[in-house]
Amino acid sequence: MNRRDWLQALLLSATLQPWQAGAQTGRHPRLADPPFACGVASGSPSHHGVVLWTRLHVADPLDPRALSVRWELAEDEGFQRVVQRGQTDTQAALGQAVHVELQGLPADRWFHYRFLVGDAVSPVGRTRTLPAPDTLAPRLRLAFASCQRWEHGYYAAWRHAAAQALDLVVFLGDYIYEYASPRGGVAPQATPPIHRVHSLRRAVSLADYRDRYALHKSDPDLQAAHAACPWLLTWDDHEVENDYAGVQGREGASADFLAQRSAAYQAFYENMPLPASVLVQGLQGLNQADALRLYQRHTFGRLARFHVLDDRQYRAVQACRHPSDSSAGTVRPSRCAELRDPGRSLLGPAQEQWLAQGLAQDHSAGGPRWTVLAQQTLFSPRHYGGASAAAQADEPTPTDPWDGYPAARQRLLDTLQATPPRNTVLIGGDIHQNYVCQVQADPTRPDSAVLASEFCGTSISSHSGATLARAQALQQNNPHVLLANPEQRGYALVELNPQRWHTTLMAVDDPGRADSPLRPLARFVVEDGRAGPQRDG
């Protein structure tokens, strides 16, 4: 079976989920039909292991009994050459999720995996281990993406990504959206457009968040993308609540919000291919500080090292935000001295120190060829009032992204300048727009040194709301912004080797069509040893 045949079979299995009911005994929960409705996934790969994931659906979600699940890892899609197999029990307290943490595998190898319970067999997924730490791999092919609100469009972008022969997917947040569907049903011409609706209420409880993941994961194209290769994952705000900051929700800090956040964090862990080690204080600690440690490093041999960041859990509350504000909004610097407070952090002090230590290691002899900061949003500043310093001094400043944490951004820039890795690239999402930027040592000086390259990708489906005219004006007023495009939905395709990083921004023609074609919007390249993107063609 070649890769195209395998992909077609995968898409079919994700859509139809064939299975046999088998005998159900009184000792186990009764399986729902189909039991593998959320598909399969793998993630957190290393050079010797990977996490395999699935979630069993049972007829009664409140049934407290466990299920015994078998798993197999093989060199071939027919499972004639099984490398490892085993058995594990689910826990009703974890939503019947399965996390299998494999170790002892050979480096830089592809495998097939599946799960079995009774006579039911899951779809088959493909995963891989990463190259050995001392190996300069010849190439890496990945996609990064974010923001997939279910109502705003279909996941045609994932269908195309699954066919790209990727080594990795890097997902940068807003996997689910907590909202109820807007009233009025399907409304493609509305603002925002609504292409499909669901009947779930606004997510607050653990059951609500579990249902929301089940909704998003029911999409066959998203399932296919998960099954095609391992994922590296972080979150943003909508996995809990729009614009939340640390322990503060829409209505400030409260016991109710901490309970909601704890439920959302648990549902995230249940539904993602993450190791148990991210639960640094166990399930009982999910309403505490450092509840789910998502910031991690992943090394693709000596070719690339990924610093995957978390800019939600540890951040200071948005500057000059009133506890009753429903969103972070904007402020004028002259009316908000807090905006310039040097102690405010987007990542939190501990994560800032962890990142600085990692960047210093990347700067040392034997460091990676490419250093990748995988974070949630746009890092580079955006000035709308004009190119002059006077025009920019007191313009409205968005408080939720890095613009709202200028001292924290400058600390990271100072670290990059003091101990520069060989090549630094920032990737982000959140704002539902494509941006390509030069990252400069001093954002207030257009002539300052270029330290890194930035690619901020648009959303998989979530609507932007920004206008093309506004984006073009922004690009004109910000020399470090090489591209700003708010109109497209899609993902970013990256191909890198020791000499070049190549990004292609991929856009679907129509997010309202599950079968929408995909096309390249723009191409940029970063040359080894030369900071800053350049247009490619």
Side-chain angles (χ1 to χ4, degrees):
M1 180 182 289
N2 60 33
R3 181 173 180 81
R4 178 174 295 178
D5 293 339
W6 171 83
L7 177 64
Q8 291 175 343
L10 172 63
L11 289 170
L12 181 62
S13 67
T15 304
L16 301 179
Q17 294 287 347
W19 74 294
Q20 297 177 0
Q24 299 293 322
T25 72
R27 294 177 298 167
H28 304 291
R30 185 167 60 86
L31 290 173
D33 180 4
F36 294 103
C38 285
V40 300
S42 67
S44 298
S46 69
H47 68 280
H48 57 74
V50 69
V51 178
L52 307 182
W53 174 93
T54 192
R55 177 181 165 195
L56 272 296
H57 281 241
V58 297
D60 180 4
L62 300 180
D63 193 322
R65 293 170 295 179
L67 281 161
S68 182
V69 181
R70 308 185 309 281
W71 55 267
E72 294 179 336
L73 184 81
E75 295 177 342
D76 64 307
E77 63 271 16
F79 291 84
Q80 298 301 305
R81 300 188 301 277
V82 174
V83 176
Q84 290 188 18
R85 58 163 50 97
Q87 186 167 309
T88 187
D89 290 337
T90 66
Q91 298 180 49
L94 284 174
Q96 306 292 0
V98 179
H99 296 79
V100 177
E101 300 185 32
L102 299 182
Q103 300 291 333
L105 298 173
D108 203 10
R109 293 277 295 277
W110 280 97
F111 301 96
H112 299 261
Y113 65 94
R114 66 182 179 184
F115 299 90
L116 307 95
V117 57
D119 293 331
V121 181
S122 76
V124 174
R126 291 179 82 240
T127 192
R128 64 163 299 159
T129 53
L130 305 186
D134 59 350
T135 301
L136 182 60
R139 63 180 293 277
L140 168 60
R141 187 176 174 89
L142 66 91
F144 67 87
S146 64
C147 304
Q148 50 186 23
R149 186 166 177 180
W150 193 82
E151 303 100 302
H152 283 187
Y154 291 91
Y155 294 164
W158 282 131
R159 176 168 55 86
H160 291 283
Q164 287 285 355
L166 302 172
D167 294 295
L168 291 171
V169 165
V170 184
F171 192 81
L172 300 172
D174 292 344
Y175 191 96
I176 63 164
Y177 278 69
E178 77 280 18
Y179 303 124
S181 279
R183 295 179 180 178
V186 173
Q189 305 308 315
T191 303
I194 303 299
H195 293 292
R196 46 185 179 175
V197 297
H198 61 77
S199 60
L200 302 177
R201 69 173 190 172
R202 184 185 185 97
V204 175
S205 68
L206 178 57
D208 293 337
Y209 285 108
R210 284 172 172 170
D211 288 344
R212 201 58 52 97
Y213 281 101
L215 172 72
H216 286 66
K217 286 177 172 290
S218 68
D219 189 284
D221 294 326
L222 177 57
Q223 288 190 18
H226 267 299
C229 67
W231 285 35
L232 305 180
L233 292 140
T234 188
W235 54 24
D236 196 18
D237 52 344
H238 288 289
E239 285 87 355
V240 180
E241 182 175 272
N242 182 45
D243 287 343
Y244 89 95
V247 298
Q248 180 163 305
R250 292 182 304 142
E251 299 178 1
S254 67
D256 286 344
F257 176 70
L258 278 179
Q260 177 184 346
R261 194 189 80 156
S262 177
Y265 281 12
Q266 177 172 337
F268 183 85
Y269 171 72
E270 289 176 357
N271 285 279
M272 297 297 154
L274 295 168
S277 60
V278 302
L279 295 165
V280 290
Q281 302 181 63
L283 288 177
Q284 300 306 312
L286 286 179
N287 62 350
Q288 306 298 319
D290 201 14
L292 204 65
R293 180 94 44 95
L294 291 187
Y295 62 90
Q296 303 283 338
R297 278 188 265 276
H298 302 271
T299 301
F300 198 89
R302 289 176 47 227
L303 181 63
R305 179 174 295 155
F306 295 84
H307 304 266
V308 180
L309 305 182
D310 172 0
D311 78 357
R312 279 293 155 190
Q313 187 174 186
Y314 314 105
R315 66 161 61 199
V317 173
Q318 293 88 351
C320 297
R321 174 177 173 180
H322 191 275
S324 63
D325 285 351
S326 60
S327 64
T330 61
V331 297
R332 289 187 180 273
S334 63
R335 303 175 188 174
C336 182
E338 186 183 6
L339 189 69
R340 299 181 297 277
D341 181 348
R344 298 180 66 252
S345 177
L346 187 68
L347 303 177
Q351 188 178 187
E352 279 194 19
Q353 183 179 15
W354 170 89
L355 178 58
Q357 291 171 344
L359 294 175
Q361 293 169 1
D362 289 1
H363 170 69
S364 64
R369 187 64 55 94
W370 300 93
T371 291
V372 187
L373 275 59
Q375 47 89 54
Q376 282 78 1
T377 189
L378 181 68
F379 181 79
S380 298
R382 287 178 291 176
H383 298 294
Y384 292 95
S388 69
Q392 297 173 2
D394 200 37
E395 65 181 351
T397 300
T399 58
D400 193 60
W402 284 94
D403 278 345
Y405 300 80
R409 176 165 58 197
Q410 192 60 55
R411 284 194 296 274
L412 179 49
L413 289 171
D414 292 344
T415 298
L416 288 172
Q417 192 166 27
T419 55
R422 178 163 174 160
N423 300 291
T424 303
V425 179
L426 292 90
I427 58 176
D430 175 54
I431 59 175
H432 311 169
Q433 303 172 48
N434 283 306
Y435 278 83
V436 179
C437 305
Q438 295 179 333
V439 178
Q440 296 180 288
D442 184 349
T444 66
R445 290 180 47 230
D447 60 343
S448 64
V450 177
L451 303 180
S453 306
E454 178 173 23
F455 299 96
C456 185
T458 188
S459 59
I460 287 288
S461 58
S462 304
H463 183 61
S464 168
T467 65
L468 183 59
R470 184 172 173 83
Q472 290 173 339
L474 186 149
Q475 189 171 334
Q476 293 171 359
N477 293 330
N478 294 264
H480 61 279
V481 177
L482 307 183
L483 179 142
N485 186 298
E487 294 190 315
Q488 306 299 326
R489 311 279 72 79
Y491 66 93
L493 176 65
V494 176
E495 300 176 82
L496 64 151
N497 58 43
Q499 292 77 41
R500 288 161 54 101
W501 169 297
H502 189 277
T503 295
T504 305
L505 302 175
M506 308 297 292
V508 296
D509 287 346
D510 183 358
R513 290 174 50 192
D515 62 348
S516 173
L518 185 89
R519 59 184 174 84
L521 176 67
R523 295 183 174 93
F524 288 83
V525 65
V526 182
E527 300 286 351
D528 175 35
R530 179 181 177 183
Q534 306 165 61
R535 280 195 177 269
D536 185 24

